[in-house]
Amino acid sequence: MKCLTMDKIMDTAQKKESLKVIKQKIGDNQYQEAFDQLAVLASLDDDFILQTKYASLFKGITDHLTTLKKIRVAVLATSTATHFIDVLKFWLAKEGFIAQIYEAEYGTIHQCILDPQSQFYEFKPDIVCLFTNYRDINYELAPGSSLEIVEKSIGAAVNECVSLWRTLRRHSNAHIIQNNVDLPYHRIFGNYETTPVWGSAHFLRQFNLNLAKALEPGVSILDMDFLASVYGRRKWHDSRFWYHSKHPFALDATGLVAHELAKTIGAIKGNSKKCLVLDLDNTLWGGVIADDGLEGIQLGDGAAGEAFVDFQRYLLKLKERGIILAVCSKNQEETAKEPFLKHPDMILKLEDIVIFKANWKDKASNIKDIAEILNIGLDSIVFVDDNPVEREIVKINLPMVSVPVMPLDPSEYVDTVSSGAYFETVLFSEEDRVRSSLYRSNIERAGFQSQFIDLSEYLQSLEMEMVVEPFDEFHLPRVAQLINKSNQ
């Protein structure tokens, strides 16, 4: 039997056959192996039937998984969420959590939040998910309504949300996740509906923007409108299910929503990945630098060359938002660095790479070294390599490392890494912006420390100064990040 960690695209029939194998492992009390294979098998794009099968199998092994962290999640919805709960539990488990979930009765958000004696507060959740949709917003304005009327209506809708957040925060320490509204598919005015301020599409988009501006500490937005567009708005809104059972989106989008919500909860709890380890040949450029030379690699010119440039541009943006970039390549170091130093179309420069490993050691060992040098866990690393053999070796030897299956076509590289949602976040601080520089400085200090025998002498040589200041709004994002990090 082939291991399920192998790079392989499976259709629905093949996945159902694999589920039989996993079910047998559960019957043989091989719970951890069954879960590991189930986690690899599941995709956010799988239909609702498969998602419920994953959830059902997971339910039978929940009590036997001792490494998952406990978390309490409350779901308050204006629509039916029952079908979603078990699937969410499974996707939270993929994110490293064993979840106990409180589901409020349909349409009782206000009752739960406004009553401090409600069962909802007795549950003492860590996370509260407020599931709403566009039908909860009074966006029907008369054609030709003035800007003043429109802004007043939007303000009232946003203020209602803010009022609920503040009430909830007075009675609970839970982090709140509020989704924005998914725009409806139907339009009275067609394409023109986005143009006038009183148009429904214009109104709801402005509501989403103002809702984000109104965010307060301890509240995050789940971008439901983005998920609707990813899934396809025509398919997302299935009126049959809304009128029949008040399901707010198509059942087959359940995996997509559960995946994104689980990633958001993981980010709140400090689970996001910190470091992206990159191969070079056929990953950052096309071809092999040692064989093709500087002029022979694909970078800049042609369809593939442009795709590699765009992938590098995406990686640079990740670096600028606080993700550590490292290189792990089987190559001579001098040869591997040549494109960074001499190729005119290279977007990434050597100063963007915190650790550069180019040698002939196996990549699993190099990645372990990178983690030790950075002083981060292996579960904080994502490894990107075009070679399926190298990916498989890392998966087998370092199962904690996330290893996306990279496509053959470099034009799909950005979408592949992005869709994994490895670097989800709910905050951005000044430290995030300069994180690469901080880690580079730490590595330099470690090298400097090795020159000293006495620790006190080393610390004195750094001439460090501590500044103690009152809490302020500027440092709030960083304070929140540290509170949410279990390793601090």
Side-chain angles (χ1 to χ4, degrees):
M1 181 186 69
K2 292 185 178 181
C3 177
L4 288 178
T5 59
M6 291 294 291
D7 287 356
K8 183 178 179 182
I9 305 299
M10 291 186 177
D11 59 23
T12 300
Q14 290 172 317
K15 289 196 172 189
K16 288 180 178 179
E17 287 300 312
S18 295
L19 286 174
K20 294 179 181 178
V21 176
I22 294 172
K23 188 174 182 179
Q24 181 60 51
K25 288 186 178 296
I26 295 173
D28 294 338
N29 299 329
Q30 299 177 36
Y31 302 114
Q32 187 62 53
E33 186 175 350
F35 173 69
D36 292 342
Q37 293 193 0
L38 192 61
V40 171
L41 183 69
S43 166
L44 59 88
D45 296 319
D46 291 330
D47 63 25
F48 182 64
I49 293 176
L50 276 175
Q51 298 290 345
T52 54
K53 288 182 181 294
Y54 303 148
S56 177
L57 287 175
F58 172 68
K59 188 180 293 186
I61 60 178
T62 304
D63 296 337
H64 304 280
L65 301 175
T66 58
T67 60
L68 301 180
K69 294 173 285 188
K70 293 182 178 180
I71 191 170
R72 299 168 71 85
V73 179
V75 176
L76 312 184
T78 60
S79 55
T80 300
T82 302
H83 72 288
F84 181 73
I85 299 300
D86 287 340
V87 176
L88 176 60
K89 285 182 180 179
F90 167 68
W91 281 91
L92 281 169
K94 284 192 63 172
E95 192 64 18
F97 299 103
I98 191 77
Q100 184 178 352
I101 297 184
Y102 172 87
E103 181 190 1
E105 289 186 26
Y106 157 77
T108 61
I109 289 182
H110 288 78
Q111 294 93 316
C112 288
I113 294 177
L114 297 179
D115 179 7
Q117 306 302 321
S118 66
Q119 291 182 344
F120 157 67
Y121 286 117
E122 291 179 6
F123 177 70
K124 299 187 185 312
D126 302 303
I127 304 288
V128 177
C129 302
L130 302 180
F131 271 101
T132 56
N133 61 82
Y134 74 90
R135 301 172 184 87
D136 301 310
I137 307 298
N138 182 19
Y139 65 93
E140 297 290 349
L141 295 177
S145 294
S146 67
L147 177 61
E148 181 182 1
I149 292 175
V150 173
E151 290 182 342
K152 185 177 180 179
S153 297
I154 293 173
V158 171
N159 288 338
E160 183 178 353
C161 294
V162 173
S163 178
L164 286 175
W165 301 340
R166 291 176 178 174
T167 302
L168 205 163
R169 296 285 289 168
R170 281 199 297 271
H171 302 295
S172 171
N173 293 321
H175 192 105
I176 302 166
I177 300 177
Q178 166 85 60
N179 65 268
N180 60 15
V181 298
D182 48 341
L183 271 66
Y185 172 67
H186 58 268
R187 295 182 172 190
I188 300 299
F189 284 88
N191 186 67
Y192 181 67
E193 197 154 296
T194 64
T195 303
V197 294
W198 45 262
S200 296
H202 191 289
F203 183 102
L204 292 173
R205 285 175 178 169
Q206 195 61 49
F207 167 82
N208 283 344
L209 292 173
N210 288 10
L211 187 70
K213 291 177 183 177
L215 278 186
E216 299 182 344
V219 185
S220 300
I221 293 289
L222 179 69
D223 194 351
M224 196 71 85
D225 192 53
F226 170 74
L227 297 181
S229 64
V230 168
Y231 188 77
R233 206 174 299 279
R234 185 198 297 264
K235 295 189 299 178
W236 173 272
H237 292 291
D238 193 327
S239 298
R240 296 170 303 168
F241 284 107
W242 175 256
Y243 293 123
H244 179 268
S245 51
K246 293 299 181 286
H247 286 95
F249 51 80
L251 293 179
D252 284 344
T254 298
L256 173 66
V257 179
H259 167 266
E260 190 67 22
L261 181 56
K263 286 291 184 180
T264 302
I265 291 174
I268 292 168
K269 292 297 183 180
N271 268 20
S272 296
K273 309 303 180 184
K274 298 182 176 73
C275 176
L276 185 55
V277 178
L278 301 158
D279 176 45
L280 295 179
D281 294 326
N282 290 311
T283 299
L284 293 190
W285 55 71
V288 179
I289 184 63
D291 297 337
D292 302 321
L294 195 65
E295 298 80 9
I297 61 174
Q298 294 175 296
L299 192 63
D301 293 330
E306 287 186 33
F308 285 114
V309 166
D310 280 347
F311 184 50
Q312 287 194 31
R313 189 172 286 114
Y314 169 75
L315 297 173
L316 181 61
K317 289 179 180 177
L318 287 179
K319 176 252 181 182
E320 290 171 347
R321 55 144 287 192
I323 304 305
I324 306 163
L325 300 184
V327 161
C328 179
S329 172
K330 286 187 176 178
N331 224 318
Q332 295 288 348
E333 183 171 335
E334 182 180 355
T335 303
K337 288 183 176 180
E338 189 176 8
F340 291 87
L341 297 170
K342 299 179 180 179
H343 201 290
D345 293 313
M346 278 291 293
I347 302 298
L348 292 176
K349 306 302 180 184
L350 283 180
E351 55 264 29
D352 298 316
I353 309 299
V354 175
I355 298 178
F356 199 104
K357 290 273 187 180
N359 52 44
W360 300 105
K361 289 172 58 177
D362 67 277
K363 294 192 176 182
S365 297
N366 274 330
I367 292 173
K368 286 182 66 176
D369 290 344
I370 289 171
E372 290 174 4
I373 293 170
L374 294 173
N375 193 26
I376 62 175
L378 288 166
D379 58 351
S380 296
I381 291 177
V382 178
F383 173 57
V384 170
D385 195 315
D386 70 291
N387 190 326
V389 175
E390 297 288 2
R391 293 197 299 264
E392 189 63 22
I393 291 173
V394 171
K395 286 181 183 178
I396 292 172
N397 290 281
L398 303 176
M400 305 79 77
V401 174
S402 296
V403 186
V405 179
M406 299 304 291
L408 297 176
D409 189 343
S411 67
E412 300 175 11
Y413 280 8
V414 173
D415 289 345
T416 299
V417 176
S418 178
S419 64
Y422 303 106
F423 309 107
E424 198 71 38
T425 187
V426 294
L427 291 169
F428 180 77
S429 67
E430 177 64 17
E431 184 170 321
D432 291 323
R433 190 180 65 80
V434 297
R435 178 166 284 116
S436 288
S437 298
L438 292 174
Y439 271 93
R440 187 182 289 277
S441 297
N442 287 342
I443 293 170
E444 291 173 357
R445 277 196 294 272
F448 185 51
Q449 181 182 358
S450 65
Q451 302 174 23
F452 293 84
I453 298 176
D454 182 69
L455 179 61
S456 297
E457 181 184 351
Y458 163 67
L459 292 175
Q460 289 178 4
S461 72
L462 295 178
E463 299 180 346
M464 293 184 293
E465 294 183 4
M466 176 184 291
V467 178
V468 179
E469 295 178 339
F471 176 85
D472 58 33
E473 288 294 325
F474 178 79
H475 293 97
L476 178 60
R478 181 57 181 160
V479 171
Q481 282 183 329
L482 292 176
I483 290 173
N484 287 327
K485 288 184 177 180
S486 59
N487 65 337
Q488 295 296 328

